[in-house]
């Protein structure tokens, strides 16, 4: 489930306590968790909303919306392609109660300098990422990010002659290993990523 950065930060500081989604059936369950840009959140309850007109302004603000009218507009069904069934997102509206659980585990990982065993493990995992028809890419991107911190990602995509969104997905894979840090504009290597690149470059 997509949770935007402003909403994730609202969950973290307690301003946002619920989310609303239009689905045919619930896609998450109570007790489940999700990693967001502001840390890990927990879904504590999932309830189907039978009557959108009964949603109050207060309830809408708890979902990070201006008021109930804005929330109802956001949840309004829109037609899908003719071959699809139902309205945008599904037939039913669900209210998901959420709470902030803990920090992103990658935050602590990216600060940890790897020892020799961890360096070997990072190398092994990156080699698996590199094993695709288009050839190795991880070291190239890590070196570019190190040399061009906080530079807009479009420049990296243009330099490499690749599409932007798939490239950003690749960088998220490096982030999951604690090697990079994402900013509103661009990226930078984490201390862990810097240590690894220094190691492989001798």
């Amino acid at each position: 489930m997509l949770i935007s950065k402003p909403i994730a930060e609202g969950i973290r500081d307690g301003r946002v306590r619920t989310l609303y989604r239009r689905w045919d059936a619930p896609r998450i369950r109570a007790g489940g968790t999700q990693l967001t840009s502001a840390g890990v959140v927990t879904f504590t309850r999932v309830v189907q909303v039978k009557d959108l007109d009964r949603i109050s302004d207060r309830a809408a603000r708890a979902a990070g919306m201006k008021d109930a009218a804005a929330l109802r507009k956001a949840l309004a069904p829109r037609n899908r392609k003719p071959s699809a069934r139902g309205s945008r997102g599904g037939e039913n509206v669900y209210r998901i109660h959420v709470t902030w659980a803990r920090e992103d585990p990658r935050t602590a990982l990216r600060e940890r300098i790897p020892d020799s065993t961890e360096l070997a493990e990072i190398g092994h995992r990156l080699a698996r990422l590199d094993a695709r028809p288009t050839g190795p890419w991880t070291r190239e991107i890590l070196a570019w990010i190190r040399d061009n911190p906080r530079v807009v990602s479009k420049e990296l995509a243009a330099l490499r002659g690749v599409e932007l969104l798939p490239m950003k997905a690749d960088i998220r894979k490096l982030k999951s290993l604690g090697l990079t840090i994402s900013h509103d504009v661009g990226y930078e290597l984490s201390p862990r990523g810097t240590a690894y690149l220094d190691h492989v470059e001798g």
Side-chain angles (χ1 to χ4, degrees):
M1 180 171 67
L2 180 63
I3 300 176
S4 68
K5 184 175 181 180
I7 293 298
E9 291 175 348
I11 296 171
R12 181 189 176 103
D13 64 26
R15 289 181 293 106
V16 175
R17 302 183 298 280
T18 57
L19 305 172
Y20 289 81
R21 294 292 186 273
R22 182 175 282 279
W23 295 325
D24 288 325
R27 297 181 185 176
I28 55 93
R29 59 178 179 80
T33 61
Q34 181 170 322
L35 180 60
T36 75
S37 58
V40 179
V41 301
T42 298
F43 307 119
T44 59
R45 190 182 179 199
V46 183
V47 181
Q48 184 176 347
V49 179
K50 298 292 187 179
D51 187 354
L52 292 182
D53 290 335
R54 298 187 63 181
I55 296 176
S56 66
D57 288 341
R58 181 178 180 182
R61 287 192 290 270
M65 302 297 290
K66 178 181 178 181
D67 52 31
L71 178 57
R72 282 192 286 269
K73 181 177 180 180
L75 292 171
R78 296 179 184 175
N79 292 331
R80 295 177 179 175
K81 294 180 180 179
S83 60
R85 296 179 57 192
S87 58
R88 181 189 62 172
E91 294 289 346
N92 305 312
V93 172
Y94 293 90
R95 181 174 62 250
I96 304 105
H97 296 253
V98 292
T99 186
W100 190 80
R102 57 186 178 276
E103 295 285 355
D104 183 340
R106 297 172 300 186
T107 302
L109 179 63
R110 69 193 189 193
E111 298 296 325
R112 194 170 75 221
I113 304 301
D115 58 21
S116 58
T117 300
E118 289 179 301
L119 288 169
E121 175 61 20
I122 293 170
H124 176 69
R125 296 183 69 175
L126 293 183
R128 288 164 57 188
L129 293 177
D130 283 333
R132 66 187 189 191
T134 53
W137 57 273
T138 58
R139 183 169 172 180
E140 174 190 346
I141 287 185
L142 288 172
W144 191 92
I145 291 174
R146 177 196 59 195
D147 298 337
N148 301 273
R150 295 178 181 258
V151 173
V152 64
S153 54
K154 288 182 180 179
E155 291 191 17
L156 175 55
L159 176 68
R160 300 184 66 238
V162 299
E163 294 183 10
L164 178 61
L165 293 182
M167 187 201 70
K168 293 178 77 170
D170 282 342
I171 295 176
R172 284 196 294 271
K173 296 172 185 176
L174 302 177
K175 183 179 179 180
S176 72
L177 299 177
L179 303 178
T180 65
I181 301 171
S182 298
H183 298 289
D184 290 338
V185 176
Y187 312 90
E188 67 177 316
L189 287 192
S190 66
R192 186 175 184 83
T194 299
Y196 173 76
L197 199 57
D198 287 347
H199 168 72
V200 296
E201 290 184 344

